[in-house]
Amino acid sequence: MSKLFRSSVRENRKLTTDHYLITLRPLKKIRKPKPGQFFMLSVDSGLDPLLKRPFSLHRWLGGDFQLLYETVGKATNILKYKAPGNVLEMIGPLGNGFPAGPSKTGILLVAGGLGIAPVFALAESVSSRRPLLFLGAKSRKEVLCIEKLRSLGIRPTVTTDDGSLGKKGLITDILIDFLSRQSSTCLPVGKVVNRYRVYACGPKPMLREMSRITKKFRLKGYLALEENMACGVGACLSCVVNTTDGLKRVCKEGPVFPAEEIIW
Amino acid sequence: MAKKKTLNTKVSIGRLKLKNPVMTAAGTFGYGEEYSKFLNLNNLGAIVVKGLSLLPKQGNPPTRIVETPAGMLNAIGLQNIGIENFIKEKLPFLRQFNTPVIVNFFGDSIKEYAKAAERLSRVSGIQALEMNISCPNRQAGWSIFGTDPKVTSKVVKTVRNATDRTLIVKLSPNVTDISLMARVAEDAGADAVSLINTITGMAIDIRTRKPKLANITGGLSGPAVRPVAVRMVWECSKAVNIPIIGMGGIISAEDALEFIMAGASAVAVGTANFVNPRAAQDIIAGIRSFMSGQGIHNIKKIIGGVNA
Ligand SMILES: Cc1cc2nc3c(=O)[nH]c(=O)nc-3n(C[C@H](O)[C@H](O)[C@H](O)COP(=O)(O)OP(=O)(O)OC[C@H]3O[C@@H](n4cnc5c(N)ncnc54)[C@H](O)[C@@H]3O)c2cc1C
Ligand SMILES: Cc1cc2nc3c(=O)[nH]c(=O)nc-3n(C[C@H](O)[C@H](O)[C@H](O)COP(=O)(O)O)c2cc1C
Ligand code: FES
């Protein structure tokens, strides 16, 4: 069950010019969050910024936990100055999280940019199943978590928009190549269906493409979505997305949705 | 502790008796369930649920909210599950609590308002109706319910005839003289008025040159609107004899007390619920401790108590 609680900052480490990794220690025990779940966090008690901001679980450290964030605006540019001992109020864990697939299926993880924040949490929890990870970013300096992934035994396939690391191009194109090879060399198209589960988080255009890809290869896919949020608990209806089953709240029924459900 | 017990925080809105003057504002507290794990719904003065219409409504496309300095713009567009689903799926939960339920509702025509009021009045567990004539996010033309005194008078009279429940009319701040609208509502038979609904606003992303909300404009709420709301409550309190429910940017007990002293018999907490899911409960506790600190034994003593 989600709670309103406070955490003290243990560490707030700068990773690149715009990316930080914050380690938090809840002042009261919280339930272990699932990968894909998130927290609504106040960066201070003032009136501007006013609303709490959503951040995905990045890493659970058995009590302490980490969030990976990019400084994009008001709240995140305050958050980056938080020092060990500072206390932050938050609500969580919230949302549904990634569903665990049947244990025999292979796992394909796809992350675009900061989408790696929740996808890393999932990668860590399923690392024994040897997931394949596809990681796309704008440029070299936005490719995060490579070392940590290596230590889990995961060597991601990387693309960047400018070719400064990995292949130049879109990560979804690499995924299409991979899936095409799978279906032509070892399996008929239909069989890919049960072979893999796909989990993705990233910018909207990437997720839209993921819906198309999973449909084309008839794969079961799960997408972690983002919408502007005010409450995070299902009360304000600010975060809805259109699905085949009507409007759903990203904070409550999501943030993870079956790829085929989203109407783009 | 003994002293605390002697504090009287009871107020009345029409025939409706509240154990304390703090309720939740429509659209910011879902159907109550969403916040029930964060606070004790029994502690609230009343629960006001998300605005309902006869049939379910989709609302506006995203992006639906954007934060602005000390506030937020929303253009939810009154998405709701419809009255029948509310009665079937949500009301049974709310009936368990010893707290009055006020249903906020709206229609797209005078007839729809009346039908909705009639339907809601046939259900047990709904103690009062709050008619929303003031949402800034409905289609063009809708706003006349809350901005054209003739239409306001007609729609309130029609609803008055359709219900015997306590009837609260929620006023729009997007008018030249809100006290005139309060008088119109009173004359048409309202038991109380509530104010303010959100103030129409707009925010632009200067890089994409696009409005930040898909709906282009939205309603401003939160602390940014509070001084405007306090002023409007004060003006209305001089204009009408029916009770006023004050709201707009209440975050703390101090804020709530400002409204009460400006003339509000009760207050509603809106945007603050998002910031602190226990806000309404904390505000009640804060009002009690202000009262005991100031030696005020009955809250009624300070309603309209501003020396202006
Ligand atoms: C379920 C969920 C999980 C998230 N997880 C993470 C995470 O793990 N790490 C992380 O860094 N961010 C995450 N985000 C995005 C994060 O919430 C926003 O970046 C943050 O709210 C921005 O706050 P701000 O005050 O710094 O920016 P603001 O001043 O509010 O906005 C600055 C700029 O950022 C853009 N922006 C605002 N909100 C979002 C958003 N939700 N998504 C994308 N851009 C936005 C605005 O359009 C604006 O251009 C998540 C969002 C959701 C909905
Ligand atoms: C997200 C959101 C949804 C709202 N929905 C409704 C609604 O359905 N009906 C209504 O009468 N007012 C609605 N309101 C207005 C609030 O009830 C309240 O009048 C207004 O927000 C001012 O109070 P606040 O500043 O404390 O939020 C909504 C406000 C917000 C922020
Ligand atoms: S953020 Fe309020 S309903 Fe999702």
Side-chain angles (χ1 to χ4, degrees), chain A residues 5 49 61 75 82 107 130 150 178 188 193 195-196 209 225 229 232:
Chain A
F5 66 98
L61 303 169
K82 295 294 153 182
I107 293 176
R130 310 185 128 270
R150 287 234 171 92
F178 171 82
V193 181
R195 269 305 276 284
Y196 295 109
E209 179 67 2
L225 267 53
M229 292 182 174

Side-chain angles (χ1 to χ4, degrees), chain B residues 158-223:
Chain B
T158 312
V159 168
R160 176 72 286 172
N161 288 331
T163 183
D164 53 4
R165 299 289 152 91
T166 294
L167 178 63
I168 303 160
V169 175
K170 186 155 176 184
L171 300 179
S172 169
N174 305 308
V175 293
T176 313
D177 180 3
I178 197 167
S179 68
L180 170 72
M181 303 308 285
R183 257 193 323 266
V184 168
E186 180 178 38
D187 291 345
D191 295 307
V193 288
S194 56
L195 59 137
I196 59 175
N197 206 321
T198 54
I199 302 175
T200 316
M202 180 171 177
I204 297 170
D205 183 326
I206 56 167
R207 296 207 164 68
T208 61
R209 302 190 186 184
K210 285 193 180 142
K212 290 189 177 174
L213 295 174
N215 190 52
I216 305 178
T217 60
L220 182 65
S221 65

Side-chain angles (χ1 to χ4, degrees), chain B:
Chain B
M1 283 318 270
K3 209 174 169 192
K4 246 190 178 171
K5 282 226 169 82
T6 66
L7 292 178
N8 183 348
T9 57
K10 291 194 192 100
V11 298
S12 331
I13 304 293
R15 276 162 296 142
L16 184 65
K17 306 268 179 273
L18 307 182
K19 51 185 168 284
N20 68 62
V22 181
M23 48 180 88
T24 56
T28 64
F29 206 66
Y31 300 108
E33 259 168 11
E34 291 83 353
Y35 282 104
S36 58
K37 59 185 156 201
F38 297 107
L39 48 65
N40 185 348
L41 298 182
N42 283 317
N43 292 343
L44 302 177
I47 298 167
V48 184
V49 298
K50 175 71 192 163
L52 294 165
S53 47
L54 284 170
L55 296 175
K57 288 253 184 317
Q58 293 273 309
N60 290 322
T63 302
R64 287 178 165 190
I65 65 131
V66 60
E67 189 171 308
T68 54
M72 60 180 279
L73 286 170
N74 91 77
I76 308 296
L78 297 182
Q79 179 189 334
N80 76 92
I81 59 174
I83 286 174
E84 295 307 325
N85 287 328
F86 169 77
I87 293 169
K88 246 185 293 156
E89 293 162 21
K90 306 293 177 185
L91 195 55
F93 172 81
L94 290 171
R95 280 204 195 96
Q96 304 169 61
F97 300 92
N98 174 28
T99 297
V101 172
I102 300 177
V103 170
N104 180 283
F105 75 100
F106 68 97
D108 285 334
S109 64
I110 291 181
K111 216 175 180 174
E112 275 184 33
Y113 269 103
K115 266 196 182 160
E118 220 167 355
R119 176 69 186 106
L120 290 165
S121 307
R122 277 189 277 125
V123 189
S124 74
I126 297 174
Q127 281 72 21
L129 303 182
E130 179 180 54
M131 62 185 287
N132 178 6
I133 54 168
S134 47
C135 176
N137 300 322
R138 296 294 297 163
Q139 68 273 30
W142 194 88
S143 66
I144 57 161
F145 293 121
T147 57
D148 180 333
K150 281 202 198 80
V151 183
T152 306
S153 174
K154 196 161 170 204
V155 70
V156 175
K157 272 185 190 147
T158 312
V159 168
R160 176 72 286 172
N161 288 331
T163 183
D164 53 4
R165 299 289 152 91
T166 294
L167 178 63
I168 303 160
V169 175
K170 186 155 176 184
L171 300 179
S172 169
N174 305 308
V175 293
T176 313
D177 180 3
I178 197 167
S179 68
L180 170 72
M181 303 308 285
R183 257 193 323 266
V184 168
E186 180 178 38
D187 291 345
D191 295 307
V193 288
S194 56
L195 59 137
I196 59 175
N197 206 321
T198 54
I199 302 175
T200 316
M202 180 171 177
I204 297 170
D205 183 326
I206 56 167
R207 296 207 164 68
T208 61
R209 302 190 186 184
K210 285 193 180 142
K212 290 189 177 174
L213 295 174
N215 190 52
I216 305 178
T217 60
L220 182 65
S221 65
V225 308
R226 194 168 63 237
V228 177
V230 172
R231 184 263 297 175
M232 289 183 162
V233 165
W234 180 66
E235 285 176 352
C236 289
S237 80
K238 291 186 297 176
V240 297
N241 294 313
I242 50 176
I244 295 171
I245 301 165
M247 71 193 85
I250 296 174
I251 293 277
S252 67
E254 287 75 11
D255 303 341
L257 287 157
E258 257 195 84
F259 279 86
I260 290 169
M261 290 183 190
S265 299
V267 296
V269 178
T271 303
N273 296 310
F274 307 153
V275 181
N276 168 15
R278 278 208 280 267
Q281 191 170 288
D282 291 352
I283 288 168
I284 295 161
I287 290 174
R288 295 185 71 93
S289 82
F290 177 83
M291 286 172 67
S292 54
Q294 297 263 319
I296 302 160
H297 298 296
N298 191 333
I299 187 105
K300 291 199 188 85
K301 287 256 154 59
I302 54 170
I303 295 173
V306 62
N307 296 313

Side-chain angles (χ1 to χ4, degrees), chain A residues 218-253:
Chain A
R218 288 189 269 160
L219 282 168
K220 190 86 196 144
Y222 296 94
L223 312 177
L225 267 53
E226 281 187 16
E227 275 305 333
N228 282 10
M229 292 182 174
C231 73
V233 301
C236 72
L237 308 181
S238 62
C239 65
V240 300
V241 288
N242 209 356
T243 75
T244 50
D245 194 19
L247 293 175
K248 290 195 175 174
R249 299 164 293 187
V250 171
C251 70
K252 196 81 186 182
E253 287 82 35

